[in-house]
């Protein structure tokens, strides 16, 4: 894809200032701005977690994009799309919302630290919600960059369920790996609930044992390139990337500190 990347879709677990400034949220905020300043078109998505103050951050619903339903486990879940602007960056952020999945005030765990039992369904809803919204936007990304474990199911949907959709026919997937892998396993029916269209249970073999590591392996299985976003990525995941002979952009603390990671990431997009 050398020199052809013009449109980049960012699918983020977290973006600052909507969530506290973690390593993922920081890059979720500044990378899209930097890539846009390199004259590429961008779109950026994240979940509309209930701790995000809609009034303070001026979120509003996009009626023309909302109104679809995502069926998970035979239940119709209404998809609500909201948008807000980061004026200093001149970028918009789209939020995937649903009353059942994203109105609670915590992100991934309850106040007592308990991992939400429906986190698998929430990741399914988020991944499919992003892809369905991009279809409605009629905006064909050259690269889809997934950041954070909450986005890790999207590559499988893209390469299996949406592979024949003209919007995504030329899209490549970059997955950034971080040290955010959940330690608590997901429910045993994760793979079964994730089945949709051309994505069958047989395509989600890693999720027969539905751990955070195996969700990350599922993302790697369908990725076209890997970026190491943390210095301490599990060796099991590094080995999985090498087995697939994927292009890997190594972690660089210096590049993150001086901002040169933006040019490095952009060049990596062109490389894949």
């Amino acid at each position: 894809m050398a020199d052809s990347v013009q449109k980049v879709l960012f699918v983020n677990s977290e973006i600052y200032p909507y969530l506290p400034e973690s390593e993922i949220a920081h890059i979720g905020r500044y990378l899209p701005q930097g890539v846009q300043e390199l004259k590429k078109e961008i779109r950026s998505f994240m979940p509309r977690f209930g701790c995000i103050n809609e009034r303070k951050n001026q979120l509003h619903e996009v009626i023309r994009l909302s109104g679809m339903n995502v069926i998970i486990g035979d239940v119709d879940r209404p998809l609500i799309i909201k948008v807000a602007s980061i004026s200093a960056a001149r970028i918009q952020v789209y939020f995937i919302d649903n009353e059942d999945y994203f109105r609670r005030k915590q992100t991934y765990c309850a106040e007592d630290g308990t991992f939400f039992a429906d986190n698998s369904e929430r990741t399914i809803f988020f991944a499919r919600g992003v892809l369905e919204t991009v279809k409605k936007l009629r905006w064909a990304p050259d690269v889809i960059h997934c950041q954070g474990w909450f986005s890790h199911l999207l590559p499988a949907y893209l390469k299996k369920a949406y592979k024949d959709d003209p919007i995504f026919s030329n899209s490549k997937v970059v997955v950034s790996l971080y040290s955010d892998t959940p330690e608590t396993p997901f429910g045993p029916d994760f793979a079964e609930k994730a089945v949709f269209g051309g994505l069958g249970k047989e395509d989600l073999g890693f999720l027969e044992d539905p751990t955070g590591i195996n969700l990350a392996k599922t993302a790697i299985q369908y990725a076209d390139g890997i970026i190491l976003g943390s210095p301490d990525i599990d060796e099991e995941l590094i080995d999985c990337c090498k087995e697939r002979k994927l292009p890997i952009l190594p972690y660089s603390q210096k590049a993150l500190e001086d901002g040169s990671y933006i040019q490095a990431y952009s060049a990596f997009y062109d490389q894949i």
Side-chain angles (χ1 to χ4, degrees):
M1 188 180 278
D3 303 321
S4 63
V5 171
Q6 295 300 321
K7 297 179 179 180
V8 183
L9 170 64
F10 294 97
V11 185
N12 308 278
S13 293
E14 307 166 19
I15 299 175
Y16 177 80
Y18 305 111
L19 291 177
E21 194 167 6
S22 65
E23 58 184 357
I24 299 173
H26 178 88
I27 291 179
R29 159 64 178 84
Y30 293 102
L31 178 60
Q33 177 183 351
V35 170
Q36 182 170 261
E37 289 171 356
L38 293 174
K39 308 304 181 185
K40 300 184 191 298
E41 289 184 47
I42 65 103
R43 298 287 186 276
S44 197
F45 281 77
M46 73 170 289
R48 208 297 287 183
F49 293 115
C51 54
I52 298 171
N53 187 312
E54 292 201 357
R55 180 175 295 180
K56 175 185 175 183
N57 292 294
Q58 299 184 329
L59 272 68
H60 61 271
E61 184 175 352
V62 186
I63 302 297
R64 70 184 178 88
L65 298 177
S66 299
M68 293 178 282
N69 282 346
V70 175
I71 300 173
I72 301 175
D74 296 325
V75 179
D76 279 11
R77 308 284 185 180
L79 173 61
I80 301 167
I81 308 301
K82 295 178 178 174
V83 71
S85 296
I86 302 178
S87 55
R90 296 183 180 178
I91 60 174
Q92 286 188 322
V93 176
Y94 291 90
F95 295 83
I96 299 296
D97 198 3
N98 172 266
E99 188 79 31
D100 296 324
Y101 291 142
F102 297 114
R103 291 304 168 95
R104 62 201 75 168
K105 294 300 182 183
Q106 298 78 32
T107 51
Y108 314 121
C109 299
E111 285 188 45
D112 64 0
T114 304
F115 197 60
F116 287 129
D118 64 350
N119 271 337
S120 57
E121 292 186 21
R122 297 169 87 215
T123 64
I124 292 167
F125 186 90
F126 179 59
R128 287 177 52 190
V130 169
L131 293 171
E132 289 293 340
T133 303
V134 173
K135 278 180 61 176
K136 264 201 167 182
L137 288 169
R138 296 182 180 179
W139 188 79
D142 297 311
V143 166
I144 301 176
H145 188 169
C146 297
Q147 301 202 82
W149 73 263
F150 210 77
S151 69
H152 279 174
L153 205 54
L154 188 143
Y157 280 122
L158 180 78
K159 294 300 181 72
K160 289 293 182 177
Y162 291 83
K163 64 184 177 68
D164 295 324
D165 192 297
I167 290 289
F168 301 112
S169 59
N170 295 313
S171 299
K172 300 287 187 180
V173 184
V174 171
V175 173
S176 278
L177 296 176
Y178 293 91
S179 54
D180 67 330
T181 307
E183 295 182 2
T184 303
F186 299 93
D189 56 356
F190 192 174
E192 185 178 333
K193 287 185 174 178
V195 168
F196 169 72
L199 180 68
K201 195 173 178 182
E202 68 279 3
D203 301 311
L204 298 168
F206 286 120
L207 293 181
E208 289 181 12
D209 179 14
T211 63
I213 287 287
N214 282 339
L215 178 59
K217 286 183 179 180
T218 301
I220 293 166
Q221 179 183 357
Y222 294 103
D224 298 292
I226 300 293
I227 293 175
L228 303 183
S230 299
D232 50 353
I233 303 301
D234 193 296
E235 282 300 322
E236 200 175 336
L237 297 181
I238 302 293
D239 290 343
C240 187
C241 296
K242 290 178 179 177
E243 284 171 14
R244 292 207 60 234
K245 299 181 179 179
L246 291 171
I248 300 174
L249 185 65
Y251 175 79
S252 170
Q253 181 66 39
K254 180 179 182 298
L256 291 170
E257 289 174 352
D258 65 20
S260 62
Y261 75 93
I262 293 171
Q263 288 81 8
Y265 284 21
S266 182
F268 189 69
Y269 301 153
D270 293 334
Q271 174 189 334
I272 64 166

